Amino acid sequence: MSDLEKAREFFGGDMYATSATGIVIDEVGEHFARCSLEITRNHQNAYGGVMGGVICTLADFTFAVCSNFNQPHTVSLNCSINFLGMAKGKKLVSSSRQIKDGRSTCVYEIDITDELGTKVALATFTGMKLQK
């Protein structure tokens, strides 16, 4: 079983992200993950833009996949998100990379764009590594 298949199997248990919002894990590797979702009417606010909570969920899920790929039991301790612009395409793509890996905490940066390359948001997550 490939790393991508293992990640999809494990995180398939995150029903809100995978079932309710439709997020898909596209790529996973050492200190890196890419996830995406097809934008539907269910993701839009009253103005027709993607609701901020959808973008936050995508960022949080991508952080979870990335930070737990080889270091299980990492949870969000803090996050900050900057909304940069409205998606112009039909799909959101979220890429996470590790910035720092400490003994008990870690820091990740998550870029969210649409498939056209439009910058939608930038998030920073601090994670806590739980003791087994």
Side-chain angles (χ1 to χ4, degrees), residues 61-124:
F61 185 75
T62 307
F63 161 75
V65 172
C66 190
S67 64
N68 285 286
F69 176 64
N70 278 333
Q71 172 62 47
H73 309 297
T74 300
V75 297
S76 300
L77 183 62
N78 184 46
C79 70
S80 173
I81 190 163
N82 290 297
F83 297 101
L84 305 174
M86 287 185 62
K88 294 181 178 31
K90 298 178 191 261
K91 182 178 185 177
L92 290 178
V93 179
S94 180
S95 299
S96 178
R97 65 184 180 91
Q98 185 182 69
I99 303 298
K100 177 163 179 25
D101 188 24
R103 189 169 33 92
S104 59
T105 62
C106 52
V107 178
Y108 288 77
E109 185 175 84
I110 296 88
D111 293 305
I112 299 170
T113 64
D114 63 15
E115 82 279 12
L116 305 173
T118 307
K119 293 180 184 282
V120 175
L122 174 65
T124 306

